[in-house]
Structure formats: C-alpha cells, structure tokens
Amino acid sequence: MRNPLNAPNFLRFVDNIPGMVYRYSKDVAQTNLFVSEGVFSLTGYRASDFASGKVNYRKLIHSEDQQSVTRQIEATLCAGKPAQLLYRISTRSRETKLVLENSRRVVTSNQKQVSLEGIVLEVTCLEQFIEQLAKELNKTELSKQSHRSFAETMHDLFEPMRTISTHCQLLLDRHASQFDEGGRELAGRIWDASRRMIALIRDLREHPLGTVSHTVESCESQEVITQVLASLKPLIEESGAKIELKNLLRVNANVVGLGRIFQNLICNAIRFKKEHSVPHITIGSDKTKEGCRFFVKDNGVGIALDVQKRLFSGSSTERISEQRNRGSGYGLGICKRIIELHGGKIWVESVPGKGSTFFFTLPQS
C-alpha cells in the first residue's frame, strides 16, 4: 500500500499545523510511523526525536492523566470509534500544557488493525481565557474595554483555525487523487478537528457576551423542538437515539435561544451515553409556581456530584475529559446565560451510571 504521508503537498500541509499530526503502529510500544514537525512547538522535541525512539510521546502525558488516557486509547483500539481526549502534557522545558487529541484506529480492508493516527492541538490559552472570563462574569457588566479585548482575542483564535480548515478542504478538493484512502481519511480527520475547534471558539464568543437576541414572543415549545430534532437528524440516526416528547407547553421565550438550549441538552444526552447502549431521551414540561418547567431526561453515564456543582460555570471541562465524545464543553454555560436572560434557572439531577435529568424554567405564555 502506497504511504500517502510521503506526498510532498500533504507533508508541507501537516508540518504547518500548530500541533502534532501522528501515526503510531499497533504494537505495545506504539512505534512512531509518522510525526509532523509541528510537534516541536507543542513539546519542545523534534520530530526526529520521536522517529528515532529517543522520545515517547505517551510518556510526556501528565502522571495524573496517564491512566485515563491509556484507558481511552485502549478502548478506541478495541471499539474502532474515534476518540477525543483532553489532558495535560509536560514539555521539554517542564512547562505544563493542556491539549486536545482526536484519534482513531486505521484498519485494512479485512478489518485488521494496523495503526493509530490523529492530531493533537494545544488549548491551554483557551482554558486560561475561559477562567478569566468566568471571573469577569461575576461582575455586573463588562466594560467597553473588556468587550474590545474579548472580540480581538476571539478573532485571533478564530482566524488561524479557519485558515487550517479552509486549506485542508482545498487539499481534499484539489489533491485528493494523490492520496490513497488512508491519506484522505487523515486529512478529513484534521479538517473535522479544526471545524470542532471553530465551534468551540464560537461557543466561547457567544457565552460571555450573551449575543442571543432577547426578543421574546409566545411560542409553541414543541415546534421549536421539532425543528431542533430535524437539524440533529444525522446525529440521532447515527446513535439510534429514541426520543419521546411529553406535554410540551406554550411559553414566552426567544425562539432562537430556546432552540439553542434544547439543541445543547439533546446533543449532550446523545454524546454522553453509556457504552454499547442506545440513548433514550424524554423531553417534557409542566406548570409550576415559577412558570413552565422543562426537563430533558436521559439514560446516559450520569454526572458525579462534585462535577454537578461546577457544571454550569462555563469553565468546567470534566465531562469532556471523562468521555470520548465531541463537544466544546461550554454549552451548558451558554444555556444558563440564555435562561437567566429570560428570568429562569437551570439545574440537574443525576446519578452516575443511571442517567441525568436537566431542568429549566421559563415564563409560561
């Protein structure tokens, strides 16, 4: 089989990515088959250090994260499903960095596993920025200077990721014929990871500024949910999720904001499902003294009590680090912001291993 990673255009492309693109063999030692030059800016070590076996990337992972990462990688190799991992590494200069890794196993046509490949991007700056924004949100309002600084930072984060995504799409459109199926799959993974990073940045941009228009109108919540389910059709069909709607009331709300709330809660219910299980989700509402109370109930992995206390802070990443699912990890903070703009509140009741139920209140029409 021709190695697509030898293609000059592809090599130039991956070497310019500010992170590590890799392919490891399936053996226990995870011998390096390919590591991009971007690994130097990430770790302080040259690609040749990994190629020669002088440095093993997995040994750079923070000791507290080693066991979790190893477990998730092994699960990826066994199940054959793509994995998203959030963990810390120690660089050559002893600096600790937070990274986001997207990986998958590569198999031959007869389904025999041959290697593990993926991309690792540093997200330390995002974590630090979110922590700072969380502190700012405790103030009554952001100053004009904070608004300008925030907009400039989001632009600085957004543009490089959009460039990577655009160039990767051009590579696939114009040079796909130069690569075999494995090369096209790897380029597709890079494109997919960059698109998800763009989604993360958009979520962060929307969260503190409350950019959802707050025009409130009387609306049928079932119609809003039906539109959301239509937009999530590919995700629902892929997971086989079963969704039941019960007694959905008419409410006074911003339609776009209400749709965003349900989209986030439904996506989470699907993504944080238990292994080898079909997601079962129930969405309903009832009348209370506070107005209309909605709930989204799932049969997923559940949430530990200590994580529940920080779940809506907009800076908690525990759920991502514990699961092999896609998502920015800040959507619940956005939901909280939108609901509070309506004068409501949001909370969760959950038992680890038995699922979760998210509740929120809105004014009844």
Side-chain angles (χ1 to χ4, degrees), residues 212 257-258 260-261 334-342:
V212 175
L258 184 60
R260 185 168 294 165
I261 294 167
I334 297 172
C335 290
K336 181 174 182 287
R337 176 72 170 175
I338 295 171
I339 291 167
E340 288 179 344
L341 285 172
H342 285 79

Side-chain angles (χ1 to χ4, degrees), residues 83-328:
Q84 185 179 73
L85 309 126
L86 187 70
Y87 57 88
R88 294 162 292 175
I89 63 170
S90 179
T91 68
R92 187 171 189 172
S93 61
R94 305 300 179 187
E95 178 186 0
T96 298
K97 292 183 176 181
L98 183 69
V99 299
L100 180 67
E101 176 178 350
N102 291 274
S103 64
R104 63 151 203 164
R105 72 176 184 179
V106 182
V107 295
T108 56
S109 58
N110 62 359
Q111 298 300 305
K112 181 180 179 182
Q113 177 186 317
V114 295
S115 60
L116 181 74
E117 67 183 14
I119 180 171
V120 182
L121 300 171
E122 183 185 0
V123 293
T124 306
C125 60
L126 293 180
E127 181 190 44
Q128 295 169 345
F129 189 60
I130 290 305
E131 288 176 354
Q132 182 60 36
L133 285 176
K135 295 177 182 178
E136 292 292 327
L137 285 171
N138 291 326
K139 301 178 181 180
T140 56
E141 62 180 23
L142 295 171
S143 66
K144 291 183 179 180
Q145 183 177 358
S146 296
H147 278 268
R148 286 196 299 270
S149 176
F150 180 79
E152 291 168 0
T153 303
M154 285 295 98
H155 178 78
D156 290 343
L157 291 171
F158 184 80
E159 287 305 318
M161 291 310 305
R162 186 168 66 174
T163 299
I164 292 173
S165 176
T166 301
H167 286 183
C168 192
Q169 186 63 59
L170 289 173
L171 183 73
L172 288 168
D173 291 343
R174 298 178 182 179
H175 304 288
S177 61
Q178 298 181 32
F179 312 130
D180 64 8
E181 184 177 354
R184 289 191 293 272
E185 287 276 357
L186 182 55
R189 290 286 296 166
I190 298 171
W191 180 82
D192 187 48
S194 66
R195 297 302 301 175
R196 275 181 275 136
M197 185 63 76
I198 289 172
L200 167 63
I201 294 170
R202 283 174 175 160
D203 277 354
L204 301 182
R205 182 167 54 190
E206 292 174 358
H207 174 50
L209 295 180
T211 55
V212 175
S213 169
H214 196 56
T215 302
V216 173
E217 59 185 282
S218 179
C219 61
E220 291 288 351
S221 59
Q222 181 154 343
E223 292 181 4
V224 175
I225 295 172
T226 300
Q227 293 177 2
V228 170
L229 295 178
S231 69
L232 296 178
K233 185 178 179 180
L235 179 63
I236 293 170
E237 291 181 344
E238 180 183 359
S239 66
K242 307 298 181 184
I243 301 176
E244 181 181 4
L245 306 182
K246 289 185 175 181
N247 189 37
L248 292 165
L249 301 174
R250 190 176 186 88
V251 292
N252 287 322
N254 173 263
V255 175
V256 175
L258 184 60
R260 185 168 294 165
I261 294 167
F262 280 117
Q263 178 171 320
N264 185 273
L265 296 179
I266 294 169
C267 284
N268 282 351
I270 294 174
R271 289 165 176 159
F272 293 101
K273 70 182 186 69
K274 287 182 284 192
E275 286 287 333
H276 310 299
S277 68
V278 174
H280 286 266
I281 304 165
T282 303
I283 307 170
S285 61
D286 52 32
K287 297 178 182 179
T288 69
K289 292 185 296 183
E290 298 172 324
C292 181
R293 181 180 66 180
F294 288 92
F295 65 87
V296 178
K297 181 179 181 180
D298 66 58
N299 64 334
V301 296
I303 310 166
L305 182 60
D306 60 326
V307 177
Q308 292 179 36
K309 296 176 181 178
R310 303 186 298 278
L311 201 59
F312 302 100
S313 66
S315 60
S316 175
T317 58
E318 287 91 341
R319 244 186 143 187
I320 275 189
S321 65
E322 293 172 358
Q323 302 297 325
R324 298 183 301 280
N325 296 286
R326 300 176 180 178
S328 69

Side-chain angles (χ1 to χ4, degrees), residues 19-31:
M20 180 179 75
V21 178
Y22 67 85
R23 179 175 286 182
Y24 292 123
S25 69
K26 68 176 181 179
D27 55 58
V28 176
Q30 291 191 350
T31 306

Side-chain angles (χ1 to χ4, degrees), residues 60-78:
L60 302 182
I61 298 174
H62 194 284
S63 59
E64 295 179 2
D65 299 337
Q66 279 275 2
Q67 187 175 2
S68 173
V69 172
T70 300
R71 184 170 60 249
Q72 292 182 60
I73 288 294
E74 289 175 351
T76 301
L77 292 173
C78 292

